[in-house]
Amino acid sequence: ERKNIFYKMAAKTEVKDQLAQVLETHQNQCGIVYCPTIKEVESLEVHFKAEGYKVLKYHGQMPTAQKTATLNRFENEDDLIVFATIAFGMGINKPNVRFVCHNGMPKTIESFYQESGRGGRDGEDSHSYLFYGKKEMLLYQRFIGDSDMEEALKREGEKKLNQMISLCQTTDCKTD
């Protein structure tokens, strides 16, 4: 339980506007914006770089040298924003990440908390944003349905996905 992470969830509307508001709120701070697809990482990195933000991208299809360079800059610069797929962040223990934003719903609550937990490891305040939409919900449902997994694993995947959907859509307070 991390009392220094503040959570905000909202349905996706105009995602570039929603992200711009987050980046403006955390101007000159270190952050991660997770995206569900490489295409979105590429597009948003180009867009926000053109808007004057200090941003980089990270995804699994980048050359190893470029991924290494991105990781090195992220670990050594305190005002950098990385647009990334979930491939980014494993093994990173940068203490002063001030925000983590999910531009799309993670597949499970466990993934959401693990990724959000990359913020505020220094004990200072950090913010977690999640912008969710039906597109991801339907995409993940299709992935599970079309997979070659055993039926028991599919049911477990559907259960975890439905828990994440319920968390996003609840109108109840999500804190104690």
Side-chain angles (χ1 to χ4, degrees), residues 83-164:
F83 286 88
T85 59
I86 60 170
F88 181 76
M90 300 307 288
I92 289 178
N93 193 23
K94 184 174 176 71
N96 63 337
V97 175
R98 295 283 65 96
F99 72 94
V100 176
C101 182
H102 287 84
N103 173 35
M105 183 187 78
K107 294 177 188 171
T108 67
I109 292 173
E110 293 86 358
S111 296
F112 173 58
Y113 285 122
Q114 179 186 35
E115 293 157 8
S116 295
R118 295 194 174 112
R121 290 186 176 173
D122 57 2
E124 298 296 320
D125 288 350
S126 180
H127 292 80
S128 172
Y129 302 90
L130 189 151
F131 302 119
Y132 60 90
K134 288 220 181 265
K135 179 179 166 184
E136 296 92 36
M137 295 174 191
L138 296 172
L139 178 69
Y140 297 152
Q141 286 171 337
R142 192 181 84 228
F143 284 165
I144 293 169
D146 292 348
S147 77
D148 293 333
M149 290 188 285
E150 296 176 18
E151 286 304 313
L153 291 175
K154 282 186 181 185
R155 284 192 302 275
E156 184 64 23
E158 289 168 351
K159 177 183 169 188
K160 288 183 176 198
L161 178 60
N162 288 332
Q163 290 170 337
M164 187 69 219

